[in-house]
Amino acid sequence: MESVHLKNKKMIHELSSKLYYSNNDSIAEDIKDYYHEDAVLYGFHPINKVEGIEQIINTFYKPLVSSFPDLKKDSYILMAGEYQENKWVTATGNFVGTFVNDWLDIPASQHATWIRFGEFHKIKDGKIIETRLLIDMLDVMRQAGFKFIPTLAPEINVPGPSTYDGLLLKVDDTHERAKSLQLVEDMIFKGLRKATSGLEKQGLEAFWKEDFMWYGPGGIGSTKGIKGFKDYHQGPFVKALPDRVGGHNHASRFADGTYIASTGWPSVEATHTGAGWLGIPAPNKKVTMRVMDWWRREDDLLAENWVLIDIVEYLLQLDIDIFDRLRKRQYLIR
């Protein structure tokens, strides 16, 4: 007998497949088959919070398929689980389409565009009651010719798992799931939180493979290995946000086989007191951060980590309005 998690995964996979055939006329009916009428979408800036299926369709889905008429949704991770008695499905990957019409004030490039996304769906009675959605807006802007942040690490078209097994359309192994989740929770609560007293206190080697891959969002970039992670992301991040607290406000955190996922809204709270991270001086302001993570475990260590952060919304808290700069064509090209 099919488990509820497997049914939920197949439902989200089916919805993703339907988007390839949707257009501005059909998208509403396609979406309504999968969402509760009173569903809520917690989105990226400038979408933010949207309530009700009609508003979700009109605010996000219709503009998206209008701007990218040949849109295809390619997920490279799809997994399901339970958190605080709620059933969840999460996916990450790329929407891929030709950027034909302007989207959210981003001028259309007329070129193929990879729109990196992450989503968590809460399922109730066989339909989506809540969606948490992040899109790497800085990377969409970069592909359209607009760049605002001098990243420390390379910005790349982020690949899926090196093992090509991230679409978990099968029943997961209970033992593997528990082992995977425990590793990430130990890493969050016993490792990363110690970083306020220095990177060496984190003991990253206890959780990560020496050559692990870390795939960050636009504005940060991607790194390889523990040294690369420390030099080009975690070091500047810890310096900028030494008092940060994360992991305590997760909306969802679960494992499926050797994959683990989490999201918080926000999942990080801190004071931005250090200079350098995101290429900005120390603003000395309280901030929060919308984050999504997916990890792949290999044996007893983490081998890959995909991270999305709503960087545009984060900068807005520091009075840096990326969309205003975009409209005024105040940007950096490198």
Side-chain angles (χ1 to χ4, degrees), residues 198-216:
L199 281 177
E200 299 310 317
K201 297 293 184 181
Q202 289 182 291
L204 294 180
E205 293 79 3
F207 310 105
W208 298 95
K209 291 178 69 71
E210 181 64 33
D211 62 346
F212 83 96
M213 294 301 304
W214 189 87
Y215 302 114

Side-chain angles (χ1 to χ4, degrees), residues 43 71 88 127 136 140 146-147 156 161 185 192 212 216 225 236 262 266 277 303 313 316 319 330:
L71 190 74
W88 290 88
K127 286 194 172 185
D136 193 340
V140 176
F146 301 90
K147 188 169 175 63
I156 64 172
E185 291 188 338
L192 295 182
F212 83 96
S262 74
W277 189 62
E313 190 270 342
L316 193 60
D319 300 318
Q330 298 173 331

Side-chain angles (χ1 to χ4, degrees), residues 48-291:
N48 299 305
K49 185 178 179 181
V50 181
E51 298 182 84
I53 185 58
E54 296 293 342
Q55 285 301 308
I56 291 173
I57 291 167
N58 292 328
T59 302
F60 176 66
Y61 283 104
K62 277 192 173 183
L64 182 67
V65 298
S66 177
S67 296
F68 303 88
D70 58 353
L71 190 74
K72 184 180 181 183
K73 188 178 183 183
D74 288 330
S75 301
Y76 44 67
I77 295 175
L78 174 67
M79 51 188 286
E82 187 168 324
Y83 185 68
Q84 296 180 346
E85 299 183 355
N86 292 309
K87 305 294 191 299
W88 290 88
V89 177
T90 183
T92 188
N94 294 290
F95 292 104
V96 184
T98 307
F99 199 171
V100 173
N101 299 304
D102 295 358
W103 183 52
L104 300 176
D105 287 328
I106 304 174
S109 67
Q110 308 302 320
H111 291 300
T113 303
W114 284 257
I115 307 169
R116 189 179 173 202
F117 76 90
E119 60 190 15
F120 282 72
H121 301 289
K122 185 191 293 184
I123 312 297
K124 182 180 179 182
D125 301 326
K127 286 194 172 185
I128 301 166
I129 190 66
E130 177 184 313
T131 291
R132 309 260 171 164
L133 173 68
L134 288 185
I135 280 179
D136 193 340
M137 296 302 289
L138 282 182
D139 195 62
V140 176
M141 294 176 189
R142 178 186 65 83
Q143 293 177 68
F146 301 90
K147 188 169 175 63
F148 300 93
I149 297 175
T151 57
L152 296 177
E155 293 174 302
I156 64 172
N157 183 13
V158 171
S162 60
T163 46
Y164 302 99
D165 61 355
L167 296 180
L168 303 178
L169 293 170
K170 59 184 179 181
V171 177
D172 69 309
D173 183 296
T174 302
H175 171 73
E176 292 295 315
R177 179 174 69 232
K179 184 177 179 180
S180 299
L181 185 60
Q182 189 63 56
L183 177 60
V184 164
E185 291 188 338
D186 287 347
M187 186 262 299
I188 293 172
F189 298 111
K190 297 180 182 179
L192 295 182
R193 282 194 175 180
K194 296 180 180 178
T196 52
S197 56
L199 281 177
E200 299 310 317
K201 297 293 184 181
Q202 289 182 291
L204 294 180
E205 293 79 3
F207 310 105
W208 298 95
K209 291 178 69 71
E210 181 64 33
D211 62 346
F212 83 96
M213 294 301 304
W214 189 87
Y215 302 114
I220 298 176
S222 295
T223 67
K224 180 176 175 60
I226 291 176
K227 185 178 187 303
F229 179 65
K230 289 180 177 179
D231 289 349
Y232 300 115
H233 170 59
Q234 192 67 2
F237 180 71
V238 168
K239 180 182 177 183
L241 308 168
D243 67 345
R244 80 209 170 285
V245 178
H248 66 294
N249 196 30
H250 279 161
S252 182
R253 183 174 66 246
F254 59 88
D256 192 348
T258 57
Y259 286 83
I260 316 93
S262 74
T263 187
W265 227 258
S267 63
V268 175
E269 298 176 1
T271 311
H272 194 140
T273 57
W277 189 62
L278 301 180
I280 58 177
N284 296 312
K285 286 192 173 184
K286 294 283 186 183
V287 289
T288 61
M289 196 176 296
R290 302 167 175 174
V291 183

